[in-house]
Amino acid sequence: MSPGVEALLEQARSGLQRLTPHETVEALRGGALLVDTRSDRHRREQGDLPGAIVIDRTVLEWRLDPASPWRIPEATGYDRQIVVVCRHGYSSSLAAASLQALGLRRATDMIGGVQAWIAAGLPLADHPADVRP
């Protein structure tokens, strides 16, 4: 019998040092990479985060692995802090755990996702998102 998705989520989060929205802002000031995995529709509904790079979840590991020929230029090393965000902070936990399994030991996610960012009164971007194919 499968342990279920809640157990998978709990296991993923057990290895993460998850950040609040305000801690995420501080991490960005310290050089962290903010990666938004939300769909176009959800970004249109909620807005974009300042400084975030949008990467589709289906190619996330290939774009962020410093050894991948398909990496983005910002994937500079396995020690770079990466903060993954999604709508509510569920799929981002699974994505961050996958990045840690890849060797990106400082990968984490933001508690509550973009919904929590908005609830915290933090600003949204005033320009189009930096979407990476």
Side-chain angles (χ1 to χ4, degrees):
M1 182 170 202
S2 169
V5 71
E6 292 301 324
L8 180 64
L9 185 60
E10 185 178 327
Q11 179 184 6
R13 288 179 172 169
S14 71
L16 302 176
Q17 292 184 354
R18 303 180 76 214
L19 304 178
T20 67
H22 288 285
E23 289 170 334
T24 298
V25 170
E26 288 304 312
L28 293 174
R29 288 184 184 136
L33 182 64
L34 182 62
V35 177
D36 188 343
T37 60
R38 292 176 299 149
S39 67
D40 292 339
R41 187 188 97 194
H42 291 143
R43 289 192 348 267
R44 277 193 307 274
E45 290 172 1
Q46 291 181 302
D48 289 308
L49 299 183
I53 295 174
V54 178
I55 300 176
D56 191 270
R57 177 63 190 97
T58 61
V59 296
L60 186 69
E61 291 81 359
W62 286 268
R63 299 297 180 263
L64 295 177
D65 180 358
S68 169
W70 301 284
R71 73 185 173 279
I72 61 172
E74 293 85 356
T76 55
Y78 291 99
D79 285 335
R80 176 113 195 236
Q81 185 177 22
I82 298 171
V83 182
V84 183
V85 297
C86 66
R87 277 180 75 199
H88 298 289
Y90 295 101
S91 65
S92 59
S93 294
L94 299 176
S98 178
L99 293 175
Q100 281 193 354
L102 188 64
L104 294 159
R105 64 177 185 77
R106 295 182 66 209
T108 191
D109 76 323
M110 187 172 69
I111 299 166
V114 175
Q115 197 69 22
W117 180 281
I118 293 167
L122 293 168
L124 296 171
D126 59 0
H127 57 281
D130 183 359
V131 179
R132 304 295 176 92

